[in-house]
Amino acid sequence: MESALDYHTALRLLEWQIEMGADEAICDSPIDRYALAAEVKAAPAPVRGAVVAPVPKAPKIDPVAEARKMAASAGDLAGLRAAMAAFEHCELKRGARNLVFSDGTPGARVMLIGEAPGRDEDREGRPFVGRAGQLLDRMLGAIGLDRRSDDPGRAVYITNVLPWRPPQNRDPNPEEIAMLLPFLKRHVELAKPDVVVLMGNISCQAGLGDRGITRLRGQWAKAFGAPALPMFHPAYLLRQPHQKRETWADLLSLKARLEDKE
């Protein structure tokens, strides 16, 4: 009767097998793969007329309906932010660093709605930062408004149509706008501004269902249940500084509207 291999002999044999290229353990007895293939071919075909249970499909989720439900459940701005953070049906969220919810003072008379976060906004988690934000602050300061003020008469509250940055700063597509529009509507309802400023084409599309900012700017309309003034986006003014004259006229119109409501 042969004696069992000792530990060191077995280890050397195993190392030798590894050196020879053996890298997978096998069964104690051989398996005839050809016989297995024949068994599969010989398996009985389904009986004609037999009822085959369908594979259940996962229920299809309507992201717009889901957004409406989640937005409606938010009782305050903190709850709305939490609902947006929990919304998992927008692919933009997966490529963004931060949820860009708002800046400024809740309860301010003026609510600015921008388009979508850019690189700086995505990094800091606040809307309208960087060069466009600096220009916006100067524009607001020219008519006595300040996003950092605690005085509701001078304060400004700011958000965007989309809370997540689109890749390469591309324009949001209609599906993304429609998906996140319920959150924006609820945002305005909870903030309760006296007037809304729609900055840029995407904001006008979301609030007015229309585009063409050069045609719409300066004309008061109604969006989200509040008086709304379309204006050029500060980023556009950085590229087209000759349009600042029209923007100054829009700012004066905004100032006059606020003074009429005092």
Side-chain angles (χ1 to χ4, degrees), residues 209-257:
D210 198 3
R211 294 174 66 106
I213 189 61
T214 55
R215 170 176 51 87
L216 296 171
R217 57 137 294 271
Q219 301 181 47
W220 284 93
K222 193 170 185 178
F224 310 115
L229 179 64
M231 290 180 58
F232 288 127
H233 195 285
Y236 173 78
L237 294 175
L238 290 173
R239 301 190 302 270
Q240 304 289 339
H242 65 279
Q243 298 285 12
K244 289 182 180 180
R245 181 188 298 272
E246 285 76 10
T247 299
W248 175 240
D250 296 343
L251 289 168
L252 293 177
S253 178
L254 174 60
K255 181 180 180 181
R257 186 82 177 216

Side-chain angles (χ1 to χ4, degrees), residues 28-70:
D28 293 333
S29 58
I31 297 176
D32 188 346
R33 302 292 179 182
Y34 295 101
L36 288 178
E39 290 178 9
V40 172
K41 290 181 180 179
V47 179
R48 180 176 294 179
V51 177
V52 179
V55 178
K57 295 182 179 180
K60 188 176 181 180
I61 297 176
D62 181 352
V64 177
E66 187 71 10
R68 288 196 194 103
K69 182 173 67 174
M70 296 177 71

Side-chain angles (χ1 to χ4, degrees), residues 63-146:
V64 177
E66 187 71 10
R68 288 196 194 103
K69 182 173 67 174
M70 296 177 71
S73 68
D76 54 25
L77 292 173
L80 182 65
R81 182 184 185 118
M84 294 173 71
F87 187 71
E88 297 293 342
H89 306 294
C90 182
E91 290 297 322
L92 296 178
K93 179 180 180 180
R94 290 159 177 75
R97 292 185 181 182
N98 286 300
L99 169 75
V100 180
F101 183 70
S102 68
D103 194 19
T105 304
R109 297 182 65 196
V110 179
M111 182 173 185
L112 270 61
I113 301 176
E115 299 183 333
R119 181 186 61 185
D120 295 327
E121 288 79 9
D122 181 43
R123 184 176 61 247
E124 296 191 24
R126 294 189 301 118
F128 285 97
V129 297
R131 292 180 63 215
Q134 293 168 12
L135 177 56
L136 175 63
D137 289 341
R138 293 196 297 271
M139 291 163 54
L140 296 174
I143 58 171
L145 300 178
D146 184 354

Side-chain angles (χ1 to χ4, degrees), residues 98-219:
N98 286 300
L99 169 75
V100 180
F101 183 70
S102 68
D103 194 19
T105 304
R109 297 182 65 196
V110 179
M111 182 173 185
L112 270 61
I113 301 176
E115 299 183 333
R119 181 186 61 185
D120 295 327
E121 288 79 9
D122 181 43
R123 184 176 61 247
E124 296 191 24
R126 294 189 301 118
F128 285 97
V129 297
R131 292 180 63 215
Q134 293 168 12
L135 177 56
L136 175 63
D137 289 341
R138 293 196 297 271
M139 291 163 54
L140 296 174
I143 58 171
L145 300 178
D146 184 354
R147 75 164 93 184
R148 298 173 182 82
S149 175
D150 295 328
D151 178 2
R154 297 188 63 239
V156 175
Y157 186 61
I158 307 175
T159 191
N160 281 320
V161 175
L162 267 61
W164 296 293
R165 179 193 181 192
Q168 286 78 51
N169 288 354
R170 65 162 173 79
D171 284 346
N173 61 48
E175 291 75 18
E176 292 163 346
I177 295 172
M179 186 188 308
L180 296 164
L181 189 56
F183 291 113
L184 179 59
K185 290 179 177 178
R186 186 60 176 154
H187 206 154
V188 179
E189 289 175 0
L190 293 170
K192 297 182 176 67
D194 288 344
V195 296
V196 168
V197 177
L198 303 173
M199 309 207 80
N201 265 324
I202 303 303
S203 304
C204 289
Q205 181 178 343
L208 305 175
D210 198 3
R211 294 174 66 106
I213 189 61
T214 55
R215 170 176 51 87
L216 296 171
R217 57 137 294 271
Q219 301 181 47

